[in-house]
Amino acid sequence: EAGVVQSPRYKIIEKKQPVAFWCNPISGHNTLYWYLQNLGQGPELLIRYENEEAVDDSQLPKDRFSAERLKGVDSTLKIQPAELGDSAVYLCASSLGDRGHDTQYFGPGTRLTVL
Amino acid sequence: AQKITQTQPGMFVQEKEAVTLDCTYDTSDPSYGLFWYKQPSSGEMIFLIYQGSYDQQNATEGRYSLNFQKARKSANLVISASQLGDSAMYFCAMRELRTGANSKLTFGKGITLSVRP
């Protein structure tokens, strides 16, 4: 069974440029998460989807970040415009459901460098 | 608010030895789940083991076991027979269960483990 797929793995852009990350969750997983991981820290949730509905986007900086999961499967996270402080790893995860004990499975992440 | 604390500095262990990685947590929710993840240099977070707050026995998965001490609010990961491939960052995480969909998985800052040949 394929795991969570993310692309690109690495992205280098200049500040003020837009950037987009793509995630394909494990087949059959209804819940999808986007996390931000700064160097030396644990991941922090940005947004959670139940099918195509964003059920928790309280941590998403909505002035520059946006996300979508139009058909309830794959998802895109966008930053426009990017700032120097956005340099980090962006992780996507999925789970069967959103019960507290449902294990979240992570993709390899996208390492973003903003110059 | 839920909180996870991992304060050990970088850990070193000799190959084939056992090692314990510490994790303490704080929550007011009596129902919660504890997770451990491994993150090698490749970047992917790999799920290792889960412990529910009401589970009667400590969780085990192969070489991984969880030393769960509820009264002390600790959930230490024990890796037996360390292998070179165990060298990675290890994250402890918790999610409150009572609040359900409004809760989120909260991670600690992680511990670096290096296995020496």
Side-chain angles (χ1 to χ4, degrees), chain A residues 9 37 48 98 100-101 104, chain B residues 37 39 42 50 95 97 101:
Chain A
R9 289 295 314 276
Q37 186 177 21
R48 179 174 79 233
D98 195 41
H101 60 270
Q104 297 181 25
Chain B
Y37 285 85
Q39 188 175 43
S42 59
Y50 169 82
R95 187 170 188 184
L97 304 182

Side-chain angles (χ1 to χ4, degrees), chain A residues 9 33 35 37 40-43 45 48 59 98-101 103-104 106-108, chain B residues 35 37 39 42-45 47 50 91 95 97 101-105 107-109:
Chain A
R9 289 295 314 276
Y33 313 79
Y35 285 87
Q37 186 177 21
Q41 303 291 323
L45 181 69
R48 179 174 79 233
Q59 303 301 312
D98 195 41
R99 296 164 298 181
H101 60 270
T103 297
Q104 297 181 25
F106 285 78
Chain B
F35 302 79
Y37 285 85
Q39 188 175 43
S42 59
E44 184 172 351
M45 297 281 285
F47 167 70
Y50 169 82
F91 289 93
R95 187 170 188 184
L97 304 182
N102 293 325
S103 71
K104 61 181 181 180
L105 191 61
F107 287 82
K109 291 188 175 182

